[in-house]
Amino acid sequence: MKKRFLSGILILAIILSIFVPVLAVEEGNYLNEAEKLKTIGVFSGTDTGFELEREATRIEGIAMLIRLLGKEDESDVLKGQSAPFTDIPDWASGYVNYAYENGLTKGIGKGLFGSNQKLKAEDYISFMLRALGYDDSQGDFSYDKSIEFARDKNIIQEDDELELNSQVFLRDHVVKISMLTLNSNIKDGSQTLLEKLVDEGVILKSTADSISEDEDSNLEVHFIDVGQADAIFIKKGNQAMMVDAGNNGDGEMIVDYIKKQGIDSLKYVIGTHPHADHIGGLDDVIDSFEIEKIIMPDVIATTQTFEDVIDSISKKGLSITKPNVGDKYDLNGALVTVLAPNGQGYYSMNDYSIVVRLEYGENSFLLTGDAEETSEIEMVDKNADILSVDLLKLGHHGSITSTSKEFLDAVDPEYAVITVGRENRYGHPDDEVLARLASKDIQIYRTDLDGNIIAISDGNKIRFYKGDLKDKETESREEKPLAEEPLNQENAQVKIILLDKFGEIVVIRNDSGDDVDLTGWTLLSVTGDQEFIFPEYILEAGGRVTITSGVKDGDLEWGRKNIWNNSTSDPAVLFDADKNQVYWFND
C-alpha cells in the first residue's frame, strides 16, 4: 500500500501565501489539513487555491510559524524596525524580528536570511523543533539531523523521513508537518503545542477541538508492554475494546493505561483463551469498566486465574458470548471479524484462541492470541481470501509453534508485532520465525525491544509510535529473571520453607548469622509467571518473613488477588536483587 505522511499529532507553523483568501482549491494529499489550518488563520492560500503542489520560500515559512504560534500582534510591533538580515522584505520584517529575538530562526550566513530561497524540509522542521522548545544552540539537535531528530521524537515517522529525504519539499508537506506539530508535545512533555496555545488564549478551545476532531476518526491499536504476555487496547473515537489483559500483576497498570486514553467504558472485551498470561488482568478490567459484551472461547480452565475472571463477570451481571467464525462486530466504523477457533477438541489450549481481523478503511490487522499451526491451517483452508492484512500480531509470542510458512504466506503482512518478554525463559521469538519474517521483508516491532507499540490508522495508512501517546516515552520494565531448578540447595542461607497455595502464603527464612537486605529481591510463581518485587526490607538473622496474597494478611502483601495455581504444579522461586537464583521450592 502506498505510504504518505500519516494523520497525526503535533506543532507548528504554516501559512505559505498569507494574505489572499482561497478562491479555488486543488487536490492535495493534505487538503483537509489545509482547511483546518485556515480556520486559525495560519494557511490562507492564494487567489488560485492552496497551491499544495508548489514549493514555498523560507520567508513564507517564517510567516507561517509566527501565525501558527499566534504572535502576529507581537510581530506587528517590530515591523519596520531594522532586521538582523539584509534581504528581508518590508512586509516580513516584523515576523523575522520576532522570530530572531525569540530564537526561532537563524540565517544562512553573511547577514542573509535567504528569504527567496526554497524552503527545505530541514528549514521548516528546525523552525518546528524550536517552537516546541528544543534548542539547537544548546545541542538538542543539529540542522543537518533535524529530520532524524523529529523522527526520534515521534513527530514524524520513518516513512515520512524517507519521503522528505527523497522528494522536493512542497507546501503539501508544510501543511502536514504543521498539523503534526500542533498535536506534538512541547519539550517538557507537559502538553501538546495545541493545548499550550489554548491555555495562552491564542486558539479557542472549540476551535482546537475542531482541529483535532479528525484524530477521533483514527483507529488506534495499542500493544501494551506486559512482558511475556498479551494486552491489546483498541480505540476508535469514543469507543474502545480490549483483547487480553496480561498476567495477574498487570491488571492495575492496564486499567490505568485505559483510563489515560480517556476511556471509561469498553464496548467489547475479548479473552482469547484461558491462559494466565492472556486473562490474568482481565478481572481487574471487568471490575473497573462498564462493558457491553465479553467474548471468550468455549473452553474452561481449572485455575484460580480463570475463576477470578468468571467471578468478576458474574458480579457485574454479564454473560459470556461464545465466538462463531464469521461473527462481525462494529467499533465506531471499524469492523471486527472472528476467524477462529474453527473447531473443538484441540490438543493445545492455544488453538482455542479467538483470532480476529480488525479492518478500518484500507487498513487491516490480524490479532491471533496464541493460535498455533493447527488453528492457522484451519484458517488458511476456510478463510484464505480474507487473511491478507497489513499488520500481523504473531501468535504465541513468536514461538515456533505458530506463524507457520503457509499461514504467513496467506497473511502476507507488511508489519509484524511480537508481544514478548525481555530475555524470557522460552527463547521467544524463535530464530526460525524471525527468519521467515525477514525473508518476506516484513517490518518487525517487538514489545521487548520497543516497549508499548501504538499503531494508528487513518483508514489509508498506518503510523507507529513507541510509548504512551501522551508522552511518547516507553516506561522501562524489568523482565522476570530466568528460573532454572538447581541440583543442590543444601548450602542456601535464605530459603523458602513454606508454600501454601490454597492459603496463598509463602514463608522465607534467613538461616545465616547476618541480616539480609531483601530490597529488590524477586519471588516468582513459575506456572503463573507472576513476580513479587520486595520493597525495602531487612530479614534479620534467623528470622522469617511471610508473603501473602488474596485475602490473607502477612508481613508483606502481594496484592488482593490469588496468585498460586492450585490445580497443577506451581513452584516458587526466590532471586536476589541481581536476578541470581537463590532458592527453588517445589510444591
Side-chain angles (χ1 to χ4, degrees), residues 8 18 24 143 169-170 209 221 235 323 325 449 476 559 564:
I18 34 198
Y143 173 82
F169 190 65
L170 302 175
D209 289 342
V221 183
K235 178 184 176 184
V325 172
L449 302 179
S476 175
W564 302 97

Side-chain angles (χ1 to χ4, degrees), residues 197-471:
L197 295 177
V198 170
D199 287 348
E200 293 175 348
V202 174
I203 298 176
L204 294 174
K205 179 65 165 58
S206 58
T207 304
D209 289 342
S210 69
I211 292 173
S212 298
E213 67 183 6
D214 270 4
E215 296 303 308
D216 288 340
S217 69
N218 291 337
L219 174 68
E220 301 176 11
V221 183
H222 299 232
F223 300 91
I224 304 173
D225 177 16
V226 284
Q228 188 70 13
D230 268 25
I232 304 171
F233 170 75
I234 303 167
K235 178 184 176 184
K236 178 69 164 56
N238 61 357
Q239 293 186 2
M241 64 183 289
M242 196 76 202
V243 179
D244 291 332
N247 279 301
N248 284 284
D250 297 315
E252 184 176 342
M253 180 273 288
I254 291 171
V255 168
D256 184 58
Y257 187 99
I258 296 172
K259 289 180 178 179
K260 284 183 177 179
Q261 309 309 316
I263 292 297
D264 55 15
S265 64
L266 295 167
K267 192 168 185 181
Y268 312 114
V269 169
I270 297 177
T272 59
H273 64 296
H275 278 160
D277 60 326
H278 289 255
I279 64 167
L282 211 57
D283 52 339
D284 286 314
V285 172
I286 295 168
D287 292 342
S288 302
F289 298 96
E290 293 299 318
I291 296 169
E292 182 175 318
K293 189 181 294 290
I294 296 177
I295 307 168
M296 296 175 67
D298 190 13
V299 63
I300 63 173
T302 58
T303 63
Q304 187 63 55
T305 296
F306 183 74
E307 292 177 11
D308 289 342
V309 174
I310 299 302
D311 286 346
S312 291
I313 292 172
S314 177
K315 289 175 183 177
K316 293 291 283 281
L318 298 167
S319 61
I320 296 175
T321 298
K322 303 300 181 184
N324 295 303
V325 172
D327 285 349
K328 297 182 185 298
Y329 300 98
D330 175 76
L331 185 72
N332 208 13
L335 182 64
V336 181
T337 303
V338 176
L339 300 185
N342 283 275
Q344 285 287 319
Y346 294 110
Y347 173 78
S348 171
M349 177 74 79
N350 289 334
D351 282 322
Y352 284 95
S353 289
I354 297 175
V355 177
V356 295
R357 174 188 169 95
L358 176 63
E359 186 174 356
Y360 175 53
E362 298 298 319
N363 295 143
S364 52
F365 306 74
L366 195 63
L367 310 178
T368 58
D370 275 354
E372 298 184 350
E373 186 171 0
T374 296
S375 179
E376 289 178 347
I377 298 305
E378 288 177 342
M379 285 186 277
V380 172
D381 290 342
K382 297 184 179 182
N383 282 303
D385 57 329
I386 60 171
L387 281 180
S388 179
V389 295
D390 297 304
L391 184 151
L392 169 67
K393 197 289 294 186
L394 263 62
H396 203 189
H397 319 289
S399 166
I400 191 61
T401 62
S402 303
T403 318
S404 59
K405 182 181 183 303
E406 294 82 357
F407 185 68
L408 190 59
D409 286 344
V411 176
D412 193 28
E414 184 173 356
Y415 309 103
V417 172
I418 307 175
T419 50
V420 63
R422 295 162 181 77
E423 299 179 0
N424 63 86
R425 64 181 59 88
Y426 309 104
H428 297 161
D430 189 272
D431 288 343
E432 184 175 337
V433 171
L434 292 176
R436 289 174 192 163
L437 298 175
S439 70
K440 297 178 72 66
D441 197 27
I442 297 169
Q443 186 170 339
I444 302 171
Y445 294 89
R446 296 169 47 167
T447 55
D448 61 333
L449 302 179
D450 301 320
N452 298 330
I453 299 162
I454 304 114
I456 300 181
S457 164
D458 64 0
N460 294 302
K461 48 202 174 294
I462 301 174
R463 177 179 293 271
F464 289 88
Y465 296 99
K466 302 172 185 179
D468 184 77
L469 276 179
K470 287 292 185 184
D471 60 23

Side-chain angles (χ1 to χ4, degrees), residues 167-179:
Q167 296 186 17
V168 174
F169 190 65
L170 302 175
R171 288 164 59 92
D172 205 27
H173 296 136
V174 174
V175 169
K176 187 55 184 179
I177 290 175
S178 298
M179 286 299 293

Side-chain angles (χ1 to χ4, degrees), residues 19 72 82 108 126 149 249 256 312 318 353 367 419 423 429 435 445 472 494 548 568:
F19 300 110
E72 276 207 282
S82 177
I108 61 174
S126 293
F149 183 83
D256 184 58
S312 291
L318 298 167
S353 289
L367 310 178
T419 50
E423 299 179 0
Y445 294 89
K472 300 293 188 302
V494 180
T548 58
T568 187

